[in-house]
Amino acid sequence: DVKVTQSSRYLVKRTGEKVFLECVQDMDHENMFWYRQDPGLGLRLIYFSYDVKMKEKGDIPEGYSVSREKKERFSLILESASTNQTSMYLCASSQLTGMDTQYFGPGTRLTVL
Amino acid sequence: DQQVKQNSPSLSVQEGRISILNCDYTNSMFDYFLWYKKYPAEGPTFLISISSIKDKNEDGRFTVFLNKSAKHLSLHIVPSQPGDSAVYFCAASNTGNQFYFGTGTSLTVIP
């Protein structure tokens, strides 16, 4: 069974704090993704990575950065958290791009006060 | 701009009846489509997919229909069961590129 784990289920941070969201997958997948899910907007892609140390911007990268030092781990970083980054963050992985199922983690509900 | 749209935010269906969830897309280059199911406090899980060379794909109670000319796909669940109550997302991609997700439809199956 594919397993994608995220470091926290719930997180509360203050405006201006630096926030790290961690994601680990155990299936040796090449690709990893970070999405945020907001009511009425669905899932929107923030960043993705198709290889170690490689990253690509998604649709909404502003205010975020990512790090992929190891194949199994993909981190999302909020350099200076703001209230409009309060959201559900979902990590996913897949073996191939485009025509392959993405496997999702359980999500991190981040609240920025 | 939303390239994948699910215009019905919610749907209620009686147990045993058919559930039909709809999805429209704007990019004619999309050639692979998926449906995901999401329970509260869990990540989305893959349900069924279809490539643009087909117009129908069936897996048990779930069938996805693709109408390329109308840029429309639908998910049929029959018979619907209370455990099917969840949020359903459709997603589309142009092979080799990122997926675009719809806004989701919340399905409630009434016992």
Side-chain angles (χ1 to χ4, degrees):
Chain A
D1 252 6
V2 177
K3 194 152 187 190
V4 180
T5 56
Q6 295 183 229
S7 51
S8 305
R9 295 299 300 269
Y10 299 93
L11 210 52
V12 179
K13 295 291 182 180
R14 297 216 170 265
T15 301
E17 280 193 80
K18 191 168 185 175
V19 182
F20 293 86
L21 302 182
E22 304 285 339
C23 175
V24 178
Q25 51 96 1
D26 67 357
M27 284 302 293
D28 203 35
H29 282 170
E30 302 292 328
N31 306 295
M32 297 188 74
F33 308 83
W34 274 106
Y35 294 88
R36 61 178 282 178
Q37 181 195 356
D38 300 289
L41 296 175
L43 276 68
R44 293 180 294 165
L45 183 65
I46 304 170
Y47 267 97
F48 66 101
S49 168
Y50 51 86
D51 200 355
V52 175
K53 296 194 186 293
M54 305 299 286
K55 61 185 179 184
E56 293 284 343
K57 292 180 180 179
D59 296 319
I60 49 163
E62 296 78 20
Y64 303 95
S65 61
V66 290
S67 171
R68 192 163 181 206
E69 296 296 321
K70 293 185 178 180
K71 191 175 185 180
E72 67 271 18
R73 188 179 297 269
F74 193 33
S75 302
L76 180 69
I77 304 153
L78 287 68
E79 294 289 342
S80 178
S82 63
T83 54
N84 64 11
Q85 292 178 309
T86 291
S87 186
M88 169 68 82
Y89 289 88
L90 292 160
C91 175
S93 72
S94 72
Q95 183 57 26
L96 304 169
T97 54
M99 262 184 113
D100 193 25
T101 303
Q102 293 184 12
Y103 296 88
F104 284 84
T108 296
R109 170 71 65 185
L110 172 67
T111 302
V112 182
L113 301 174
Chain B
D1 193 26
Q2 197 81 20
Q3 297 194 51
V4 179
K5 298 179 184 178
Q6 293 175 256
N7 292 318
S8 299
S10 62
L11 176 68
S12 290
V13 171
Q14 288 290 136
E15 181 178 3
R17 307 294 288 267
I18 186 170
S19 296
I20 300 176
L21 295 92
N22 294 303
C23 181
D24 296 293
Y25 59 96
T26 57
N27 188 340
S28 58
M29 299 301 291
F30 287 150
D31 56 7
Y32 192 62
F33 307 88
L34 300 92
W35 284 94
Y36 282 86
K37 175 179 178 178
K38 185 181 184 301
Y39 292 117
E42 293 183 16
T45 55
F46 169 74
L47 193 57
I48 193 168
S49 64
I50 188 168
S51 76
S52 59
I53 61 172
K54 292 185 168 184
D55 54 19
K56 176 182 173 181
N57 189 27
E58 195 170 349
D59 183 2
R61 296 186 297 113
F62 303 92
T63 303
V64 57
F65 295 92
L66 176 62
N67 182 334
K68 291 185 287 293
S69 61
K71 296 193 187 72
H72 177 84
L73 67 155
S74 61
L75 175 68
H76 292 210
I77 307 172
V78 57
S80 301
Q81 299 173 355
D84 296 329
S85 297
V87 178
Y88 290 79
F89 292 97
C90 65
S93 80
N94 176 7
T95 309
N97 293 294
Q98 69 179 75
F99 277 100
Y100 293 88
F101 284 80
T103 52
T105 296
S106 178
L107 173 66
T108 302
V109 180
I110 303 162

